[in-house]
Amino acid sequence: MPLFDVYPLYNVTPVKGNDVHVYDDKGTEYLDLYGGHAVISIGHSHPNYVNAVSNQVANLGFYSNAIQNPLQVELAKRLEEISDCKDYQLFLCNSGAEANENALKLASFKTNKARVIAFNNSFHGRTSAAVAATDNPSIIAPINAQQQVTFLALNDIEGVKRELEKGDVCAVIVEFIQGVGGLDQGTAEFFEQVDTLCKANNTFLIADEVQSGYGRSGKFFAFQHYKVTPEIISIAKGMGNGFPIGGVLIHPSIEAKYGLLGTTFGGNHLACAAGLAVLNTLETDNLIDNVNEISDYFISKASTIPEIKNIKGKGLMLGLEFDFEVAELRKKLIYEHHIFTGGASNKKLIRILPPLSIKKTHVDQFFEALRQAL
């Protein structure tokens, strides 16, 4: 049976990973500056992660949410402590798309409204409402297009105000640093005014932290760079360091009731063990401090290369923008220099999303390779 051919694939077959490196089936070492779409947060095969997952699967990998699971309680407690999101409630699911789907559903339930405001170049997932709020018509099927979504430009505060005052918007969903869209950001003034307008119009602000969360921006969440209080925060990717897990952080003002949300696999024992290993390692290895140190170093090195016309993003969620399309440059980096980087809907931009454990020597290796490739 052939695989359903929906992915253009590079001719590389990784079989092993260690920290910031992966190794292919021929034994070639690659520097991973993409982390499998920002998923690898604490490094490939971190011993804390391997031990936690191995020990848990040897005991109990899964049971349904119909029973007590103390690992969920422990994960929620550690997440509150490390993220500083005091008193939020946690709903666990399996992916970023599912997290955003549940976030939008919850906003609609609680406000009794249906329309969503999203932003140009946004990406929130590939499921029903999440993909409708994604600014890419080519991946929106007719069944998704029946959702009520209005797209606005980042920093268009007058547009946000006008739409919210119509009274039918349940949620404003925003990436505080856009991922697939190309690392664009709104201004602090814009984000803070959006938060104020949402609260004045019975509309939930949803912070999509699926890619930018878990320290990648230099703070635990990207929205924490601003004075805002989201009603809902969606998380995934770096949350499990490769194990499928997602979640929704829900403001304490939002009341739960039985049956409001649900999932079969979300919050299973193995996922929680992986999630706890990530949180504990972020803290013990001081990885968020490392993000800020390496980010400054990376940006200083990037500033010395004249071909780089713009440096976007924060922390270790960065974009290097050129005045030409970068597909061939990225192929050179992979095949000739053995370095993984990421692309974006902005075809002139390379995305940099390495494990948060990256060191300055790896940055030096990348820029030496980039100079040669250019």
Side-chain angles (χ1 to χ4, degrees):
M1 178 186 294
L3 298 175
F4 197 51
D5 190 11
V6 293
Y7 299 114
L9 301 178
Y10 290 109
N11 188 25
V12 179
T13 306
V15 296
K16 182 180 177 181
N18 180 42
D19 195 19
V20 299
H21 295 105
V22 293
Y23 301 84
D24 70 11
D25 53 352
K26 302 177 182 63
T28 304
E29 180 182 85
Y30 293 79
L31 176 62
D32 184 7
L33 297 188
Y34 191 52
H37 304 305
V39 166
I40 303 301
S41 48
I42 62 172
H44 293 279
S45 303
H46 194 291
N48 293 350
Y49 176 81
V50 172
N51 291 337
V53 172
S54 299
N55 291 337
Q56 186 59 50
V57 77
N59 288 297
L60 179 66
F62 172 82
Y63 206 78
S64 80
N65 284 307
I67 48 80
Q68 299 289 327
N69 184 348
L71 289 172
Q72 291 187 359
V73 177
E74 187 181 355
L75 179 59
K77 179 176 182 290
R78 292 294 286 137
L79 182 54
E80 181 179 43
E81 291 169 350
I82 295 173
S83 72
D84 202 32
C85 288
K86 301 300 183 187
D87 300 321
Y88 276 76
Q89 306 156 91
L90 176 63
F91 174 77
L92 288 163
C93 54
N94 304 283
S95 70
E98 190 179 347
N100 281 329
E101 200 72 34
N102 280 289
L104 291 164
K105 180 181 181 181
L106 185 59
S108 184
F109 261 138
K110 291 299 184 178
T111 64
N112 200 33
K113 297 187 283 188
R115 189 159 64 100
V116 173
I117 290 176
F119 295 95
N120 297 348
N121 296 320
S122 61
F123 188 96
H124 299 293
R126 291 177 179 268
T127 54
S128 179
V131 78
T134 290
D135 187 18
N136 183 350
S138 70
I139 64 171
I140 299 174
I143 196 170
N144 309 126
Q146 64 188 322
Q147 305 281 350
Q148 300 176 45
V149 180
T150 300
F151 288 96
L152 299 172
L154 284 172
N155 298 322
D156 180 9
I157 195 61
E158 290 304 317
V160 174
K161 183 174 187 293
R162 180 184 66 248
E163 296 301 325
L164 288 180
E165 288 177 350
K166 293 177 181 177
D168 63 340
V169 175
C170 68
V172 175
I173 185 168
V174 62
E175 302 159 277
F176 283 79
I177 307 171
Q178 290 190 332
V180 174
L183 287 301
D184 288 329
Q185 302 170 73
T187 65
E189 181 182 23
F190 172 71
F191 287 138
E192 291 162 14
Q193 288 185 15
V194 168
D195 186 45
T196 299
L197 286 168
C198 283
K199 288 165 176 54
N201 287 277
N202 185 32
T203 299
F204 285 8
L205 177 62
I206 299 174
D208 180 343
E209 295 280 356
V210 168
Q211 188 171 125
S212 55
Y214 272 65
R216 185 158 292 281
S217 76
K219 293 185 180 289
F220 193 90
F221 288 127
F223 79 81
Q224 291 170 329
H225 290 278
Y226 310 100
K227 297 175 182 176
V228 300
T229 305
E231 278 69 37
I232 304 176
I233 306 160
S234 57
I235 51 178
K237 293 196 185 294
M239 186 179 186
N241 202 52
F243 195 94
I245 182 172
V248 185
L249 275 63
I250 302 161
H251 193 270
S253 64
I254 301 170
E255 185 180 358
K257 69 175 183 178
Y258 292 150
L260 189 66
L261 303 176
T263 172
T264 295
F265 294 106
N268 67 73
H269 295 73
L270 199 50
C272 287
L276 280 164
V278 168
L279 286 172
N280 291 335
T281 303
L282 279 173
E283 189 170 58
T284 59
D285 290 8
N286 298 311
L287 289 183
I288 297 179
D289 289 342
N290 189 63
V291 167
N292 288 300
E293 180 182 353
I294 299 300
S295 179
D296 289 345
Y297 185 70
F298 188 100
I299 290 168
S300 71
K301 297 279 286 189
S303 300
T304 66
I305 298 181
E307 291 92 342
I308 296 174
K309 303 305 179 185
N310 198 7
I311 305 166
K312 292 183 167 184
K314 294 185 191 311
L316 291 177
M317 187 173 177
L318 296 170
L320 303 178
E321 192 170 35
F322 298 82
D323 59 6
F324 55 87
E325 294 193 2
V326 298
E328 291 305 312
L329 177 59
R330 290 183 58 228
K331 286 180 182 178
K332 278 188 179 183
L333 289 169
I334 292 172
Y335 294 129
E336 297 178 19
H337 300 278
H338 305 138
I339 297 176
F340 288 142
T341 61
S345 60
N346 176 354
K347 302 302 183 187
K348 297 180 179 181
L349 183 130
I350 291 178
R351 273 197 295 166
I352 303 296
L353 304 164
L356 307 187
S357 53
I358 187 174
K359 300 293 187 284
K360 290 179 180 178
T361 54
H362 305 126
V363 175
D364 293 340
Q365 179 186 344
F366 167 69
F367 280 107
E368 178 57 33
L370 181 63
R371 285 189 178 92
Q372 292 179 29
L374 286 168

